[in-house]
Amino acid sequence: MDKRELIELALAARDNSYCPYSGYSVGAALLTADGRVFTGCNVENAGYSPTLCAERSAMAAAVSAGVRKFTMLAVAGGPTGKEPETYFWPCGVCRQWLAEFCPPDFPVLCAKSAADYRETTLAELLPHAFSPSTLT
Ligand code: THU
């Protein structure tokens, strides 16, 4: 599974986005240490705040399947029905979720397309994270 393929899976997951309120479709693909991929999309709600982001959707699917070791995340998002025109950067809550399971050097691919993306790390997205190690 290379970076391009992981982004393709995130882009495909966008197609399942349920976003009648924002019209903004997001997809995420999470590569696990054992080579599996869990995907997620944003799932909105009439109550607005119960909305689930694509990244947390993918992480919850993986953890629910008993998987907690991840090696890379790809995310892509933009107005529904169009190819993304900007790089997609995870929200603060999803950054905090990543910090629960992933190390500071965890790579995150913030994609516009499979050929055009920015690679960053969790530490860059969430410096000085409050993580499980904080509590030990
Ligand atoms: N969204 C995500 O899926 N991930 C993020 O990191 C930021 C925002 C979704 C939530 C909502 O359905 C839509 O994008 C607009 O905020």
Side-chain angles (χ1 to χ4, degrees):
M1 173 65 53
D2 64 22
K3 293 173 184 176
R4 247 188 120 96
E5 290 172 318
L6 195 66
I7 293 168
E8 293 286 8
L9 291 172
L11 289 164
R14 277 189 79 214
D15 293 342
N16 295 327
S17 166
Y18 175 73
C19 56
Y21 307 107
S22 72
Y24 193 91
S25 300
V26 184
L30 186 61
L31 182 61
T32 70
D34 62 4
R36 284 189 276 171
V37 176
F38 288 85
T39 60
C41 64
N42 52 331
V43 183
E44 298 189 344
N45 185 274
Y48 288 23
S49 62
T51 289
L52 181 63
C53 289
E55 302 93 313
R56 281 179 287 140
S57 170
M59 278 186 272
V63 173
S64 298
V67 184
R68 297 177 190 166
K69 287 192 166 56
F70 309 124
T71 54
M72 202 179 334
L73 174 71
V75 285
T80 304
K82 293 168 61 182
E83 301 298 318
E85 290 177 358
T86 57
Y87 300 112
F88 181 85
W89 304 94
C91 80
V93 173
C94 290
R95 295 175 195 205
Q96 182 65 33
W97 259 56
L98 285 168
E100 188 68 24
F101 298 106
C102 306
D105 63 352
F106 181 76
V108 180
L109 310 177
C110 301
K112 198 186 282 189
S113 70
D116 190 0
Y117 61 89
R118 293 283 180 263
E119 180 168 347
T120 185
T121 63
L122 177 57
E124 283 178 342
L125 292 172
L126 189 66
H128 310 291
F130 189 92
S131 68
S133 64
T134 311
L135 300 175
T136 58

